[in-house]
Amino acid sequence: MGTPDFAAASLKHLLDWGGCDVVGVYCQPDRPCGRGQICTPPPVKLLAMESRLPVFQPLNFKEQADVDQLAALEPDLLLVAAYGLILPRTVLEIPKLGAINVHASLLPEYRGAAPIQRAIMDGKPVTGITIMQMEAGLDTGDILLQRSRAIGIMDTAQSLHDELAEMGGKLLVDALEKMDQGRLVRIPQDHARATYAAKLSKEEGRIDWNRPVLDVHNRIRGLFPWPGSWFDWDGMPGKTLRLTVHPGTIGDPLPEGVHPGEIHGVADDSVLIACADRLYAVPVIKPANSKPLRGREFYCGYLSRCSGDHLLKPEPACPGE
């Protein structure tokens, strides 16, 4: 049971392993996608169809017919990864061995919908994968296996997602092998340490340049590529332009007389934008209703000048390290 790319990685590892029979694949219904709003099959469905597996796409499990359809498959176990639905008790009680979930955090930290993004935004040094026994609560079940992974200063939500997806698929297979051997140990979560990773909103992408540069950097890379990070720029006469930025690098301390939010020239091919304490070098900027531009392209085109080069060599490291 899963829907996006993250879940497709787990399904692929299961199929490559071959130690179980996948009797059915569940994912959310096809939904409109892209500018043309064309209904597009989710990644898990595409992989299941390529593998000639039966696919089921109930809107939810409120209809008894959907519950009965699952029961008719007589599953021993439900394997869940980023399904996007909270499974009711009537579903969790169907399989003989219950249900296990692949979750992209070190539970009990970051229960909920956006654990990868929230960990980066909070500046956490480590995250990982938890294989969890599911119960009726939101990510509250016993821990079966965990594996950690350091979060690098240049990791984005996309790069970390891709690595954790692969890690999750491998760890899921490890859990199934241990389960088959009777060596899987259930460890209750410490609920007092639980934190919650709420869904992301587009408004969270608004950049506050008055924050320290490391906070800005963490937020931008945690929200890349979706929903993206942006700010409203008043640098054009009589016009405010919304600019979306890609993750960049942390630069030099803030020069005297430069204020947060100001564009302070270019270094190499990146635009330098002032934060509360240091400059931030942005390699790509996308003006509203325009294509993405390299930093120097934006600086030359929208500020009508190509001077202002700095000798700054931004380093991809935390200040002071």
Side-chain angles (χ1 to χ4, degrees):
M1 291 182 161
T3 301
D5 288 322
F6 183 89
S10 287
L11 177 57
K12 186 178 186 306
H13 278 280
L14 283 174
L15 297 175
D16 291 344
W17 174 50
C20 63
D21 295 323
V22 180
V23 297
V25 175
Y26 278 73
C27 59
Q28 291 200 35
D30 299 2
R31 290 192 168 91
C33 182
R35 290 186 178 182
Q37 289 295 284
I38 299 172
C39 278
T40 306
V44 165
K45 180 179 180 179
L46 293 175
L47 178 57
M49 292 171 64
E50 290 174 7
S51 305
R52 299 186 178 182
L53 296 171
V55 178
F56 307 91
Q57 295 177 276
L59 183 62
N60 50 48
F61 284 97
K62 293 182 180 180
E63 299 294 331
Q64 186 60 41
D66 292 325
V67 178
D68 293 342
Q69 186 177 58
L70 175 61
L73 295 174
E74 299 182 342
D76 294 314
L77 185 65
L78 297 184
L79 306 178
V80 185
Y83 186 17
L85 291 177
I86 296 178
L87 299 179
R89 190 177 299 278
T90 53
V91 168
L92 295 176
E93 290 176 347
I94 289 174
K96 300 173 185 177
L97 301 175
I100 63 176
N101 176 253
V102 182
H103 187 75
S105 81
L106 298 176
L107 292 172
E109 285 192 332
Y110 297 108
R111 296 172 178 174
I116 296 173
Q117 297 90 337
R118 299 290 176 191
I120 295 176
M121 291 164 69
D122 291 345
K124 290 289 184 177
V126 177
T127 186
I129 290 289
T130 300
I131 306 297
M132 175 198 70
Q133 188 78 35
M134 295 183 70
E135 58 182 31
L138 178 64
D139 300 328
T140 58
D142 291 346
I143 294 169
L144 303 176
L145 281 181
Q146 283 189 326
R147 186 166 296 162
S148 62
R149 191 269 197 196
I151 300 177
I153 191 64
M154 295 306 294
D155 273 325
T156 66
Q158 184 66 64
S159 66
L160 193 56
H161 164 280
D162 294 348
E163 289 199 30
L164 290 179
E166 286 299 307
M167 182 187 292
K170 293 176 183 177
L171 199 60
L172 177 61
V173 170
D174 288 348
L176 294 177
E177 290 178 340
K178 286 182 170 59
M179 178 182 289
D180 188 46
Q181 298 163 5
R183 297 192 297 116
L184 204 57
V185 178
R186 296 174 57 155
I187 302 173
Q189 292 190 43
D190 181 357
H191 301 301
R193 293 179 45 240
T195 57
Y196 179 63
K199 288 183 179 181
L200 301 172
S201 69
K202 291 185 178 181
E203 184 59 31
E204 287 184 275
R206 182 189 293 272
I207 301 169
D208 181 359
W209 297 109
N210 290 292
R211 301 289 301 167
V213 69
L214 187 56
D215 290 352
V216 171
H217 180 55
N218 290 342
R219 178 165 289 267
I220 292 173
R221 64 197 182 98
L223 296 174
F224 183 83
W226 193 91
S229 299
W230 53 272
F231 67 104
D232 291 327
W233 181 57
D234 297 324
M236 300 180 68
K239 184 177 180 180
T240 297
L241 186 64
R242 180 154 295 185
L243 303 177
T244 300
V245 305
H246 285 209
T249 51
I250 294 170
D252 289 343
L254 197 65
E256 186 176 350
V258 177
H259 304 288
E262 290 184 11
I263 294 178
H264 186 60
V266 290
D268 296 331
D269 207 21
S270 296
V271 168
L272 305 177
I273 305 179
C275 297
D277 55 347
R278 302 177 79 95
L279 297 172
Y280 190 64
V282 177
V284 177
I285 293 182
K286 182 185 180 305
N289 302 316
S290 177
K291 66 178 183 180
L293 301 172
R294 297 298 303 176
R296 185 177 295 277
E297 289 180 300
F298 171 82
Y299 190 78
C300 293
Y302 281 81
L303 279 79
S304 300
R305 61 181 188 269
C306 291
S307 60
D309 284 77
H310 290 255
L311 297 177
L312 172 70
K313 297 294 182 182
E315 297 291 338
C318 296
E321 284 193 351

